[in-house]
Amino acid sequence: MKYILILLLILSQLTAKDKQQEVTIGAGAYMQTQPYKNVDAIVLPSPVIFFDNGVAYVRWTRVGVYFLGDKQDDFSWGFSLTAQPRTYGYKSSDSSYLAGMDERKTSFEGGLAFSTQLDKTYLEIMALTDILDRHDTWIIKAELGRDYKFGKLSLYPSLIAIYNSSKFMDYYYGVKSSEAIVSIRDEYKADAGLQLGAQTYIKYPLTDSLSAFINLRVDKLPQEATDSPIVSDDYIYSGLASLIYTFKY
């Protein structure tokens, strides 16, 4: 990740020498519950980087490079190539209910993104495909949000809709015939489904440069996932608690 940041800083120097750029860096702990039966939540250390100079960007752990668009103070839009990690997955050893199942691996997704922002309201639409050949398919994600400020406290709530293709759903929630066990889990093939979510970022400054930064998110799984014999929860909860440092150069 540090090499990506260095590359983006070099790009910004080549394209925006006449304007100071703002960069936010930090680190924290990321937690995500698992919807599978008796599988513990994921807890991982996570870098936090935010940077956007109209040429390239980093948004938490997602990176991108614009190839078309316009960035102004009150209105901006852009098309970009983007990539982000996928933290779904499990091992058969994670739960007795999953014994005998093939591993479902985490992955990395990349594709095309369109984003636009008018004053404090933003919209982003992404079409992503699996670039590590895990689920070997695509998803479409749309997010609509707005920035709010209450004194020193900043809030960034948004609503999320994700269309997961049938191959994606079947990879993470399906049960193959070779994995089925009588009276424990039946064979199950998951169809495409629409996943809905809501999240907010919360930022509170501790000094002029240092801030506490929190992300809270909840996703409602589609019925095509919750009908799976290996799934016990309808929701995935995730969050981040971190410290971030913001500077200009």
Side-chain angles (χ1 to χ4, degrees), residues 10 60-62 67 77 79 118 139 150 173 183 192 229 235 239 246:
I10 293 172
W60 189 353
T61 55
R62 182 163 71 89
F67 61 87
W77 65 274
F79 287 92
L118 175 61
I139 65 169
F150 304 95
Y173 305 112
S183 76
Y235 295 88
T246 302

Side-chain angles (χ1 to χ4, degrees), residues 22-239:
E22 185 174 275
V23 180
T24 296
I25 59 174
Y30 174 75
M31 184 278 297
Q32 177 184 297
T33 64
Q34 292 278 58
Y36 308 108
K37 292 181 177 179
N38 285 6
V39 175
D40 294 333
I42 298 171
V43 180
L44 298 170
S46 174
V48 181
I49 303 174
F50 287 95
F51 169 79
D52 190 332
N53 71 339
V55 176
Y57 61 83
V58 183
R59 296 171 187 163
W60 189 353
T61 55
R62 182 163 71 89
V63 300
V65 177
Y66 294 107
F67 61 87
L68 183 65
D70 184 38
K71 182 177 175 63
Q72 304 295 331
D73 291 336
D74 57 347
F75 175 72
S76 63
W77 65 274
F79 287 92
S80 63
L81 299 176
T82 189
Q84 66 177 19
R86 164 67 61 180
T87 54
Y88 287 12
Y90 60 81
K91 296 180 179 179
S92 61
S93 59
D94 288 344
S95 165
S96 59
Y97 287 96
L98 299 176
M101 297 285 292
D102 293 335
E103 180 181 1
R104 301 319 197 253
K105 298 181 179 180
T106 59
S107 189
F108 215 80
E109 298 165 343
L112 181 66
F114 169 76
S115 58
T116 183
Q117 181 166 344
L118 175 61
D119 192 19
K120 296 182 181 298
T121 301
Y122 61 91
L123 170 68
E124 185 166 55
I125 301 173
M126 296 190 294
L128 302 173
T129 187
D130 177 17
I131 58 181
L132 296 184
D133 292 331
R134 307 294 201 212
H135 55 79
D136 193 26
T137 186
W138 52 271
I139 65 169
I140 297 176
K141 176 184 176 183
E143 181 173 0
L144 177 65
R146 183 174 173 83
D147 299 351
Y148 295 93
K149 190 159 187 175
F150 304 95
K152 291 184 177 181
L153 185 69
S154 298
L155 294 176
Y156 309 89
S158 63
L159 298 175
I160 301 166
I162 307 172
Y163 180 80
N164 295 321
S165 69
S166 58
K167 287 185 67 176
F168 175 95
M169 295 289 290
D170 200 44
Y171 181 77
Y172 285 112
Y173 305 112
V175 178
K176 295 181 287 189
S177 58
S178 60
E179 298 170 326
I181 301 177
V182 177
S183 76
I184 296 179
R185 58 175 181 259
D186 295 329
E187 179 181 357
Y188 181 75
K189 186 172 181 61
D191 293 326
L194 182 64
Q195 182 171 317
L196 301 176
Q199 74 169 345
T200 187
Y201 293 98
I202 304 170
K203 179 181 175 183
Y204 187 83
L206 303 176
T207 69
D208 290 343
S209 301
L210 187 66
S211 300
F213 185 74
I214 294 172
N215 170 263
L216 300 173
R217 175 169 170 172
V218 58
D219 286 87
K220 173 66 171 67
L221 292 177
Q223 185 176 350
E224 292 80 2
T226 58
D227 283 347
S228 170
I230 62 173
V231 171
S232 60
D233 295 324
D234 293 350
Y235 295 88
I236 295 176
Y237 300 93
S238 59

